[in-house]
Amino acid sequence: MGFLSYSQPASVEQIKLQHAIHSLGFAILSIRRDFNTYEGASILGSTGQMIELEGLFAQVPEQTERYNGEMYTADKSTRRRGYRCKACRKTVTLGEDGTPNTIEELKASGCHSCGARVFVRWKPGMTRRSRH
């Protein structure tokens, strides 16, 4: 038994995914849609599904190497993300000028100006009305 977390593709792509899973010798026991949410993952529709699998005649090779590379898009992306402190409205860019690299780290450390821990996504030129 195993699990696969994957994006929720359109119907035609979902059929292709299921065919690939079956061709590897796995049966799909259940699909839990909207299982994971990924903030900022618009390509995935910001949600993923959890697929419960059972190996019927699967030939799973023994793992000989451990993957230590980047796993998430944000790990590979050089794009910088800006956030604004909800309390004092100070704007920061993740990974610049001593600011943490992730929003989770920023929330944990708090705003450098006021110490608050609530931030909203911010892009240059963004106004209150353009933020939804």
Side-chain angles (χ1 to χ4, degrees), residues 3 8 41-42 46 49 54 58 69 76 78 81 85 117 119 124:
F3 298 91
Q8 295 177 181
S42 57
S46 299
Q49 61 188 337
E54 181 175 12
K76 298 177 182 182
T78 58
R81 292 177 172 82
C85 174
R117 298 177 188 272
F119 298 86

Side-chain angles (χ1 to χ4, degrees), residues 48-104:
Q49 61 188 337
M50 180 63 72
I51 303 171
E52 184 179 1
L53 304 171
E54 181 175 12
L56 299 176
F57 57 89
Q59 297 292 321
V60 180
E62 184 178 324
Q63 183 177 353
T64 58
E65 294 181 30
R66 181 177 176 90
Y67 178 75
N68 292 317
E70 297 154 330
M71 184 175 290
Y72 299 102
T73 306
D75 294 336
K76 298 177 182 182
S77 175
T78 58
R79 183 177 57 181
R80 293 293 177 205
R81 292 177 172 82
Y83 288 88
R84 175 171 273 177
C85 174
K86 212 162 182 188
C88 73
R89 302 179 46 88
K90 173 150 174 82
T91 303
V92 296
T93 302
L94 296 179
E96 291 183 0
D97 301 324
T99 302
N101 291 320
T102 67
I103 186 60
E104 292 81 9

Side-chain angles (χ1 to χ4, degrees), residues 102-118:
T102 67
I103 186 60
E104 292 81 9
E105 292 171 356
L106 179 60
K107 288 177 180 178
S109 66
C111 175
H112 287 38
S113 294
C114 71
R117 298 177 188 272
V118 178

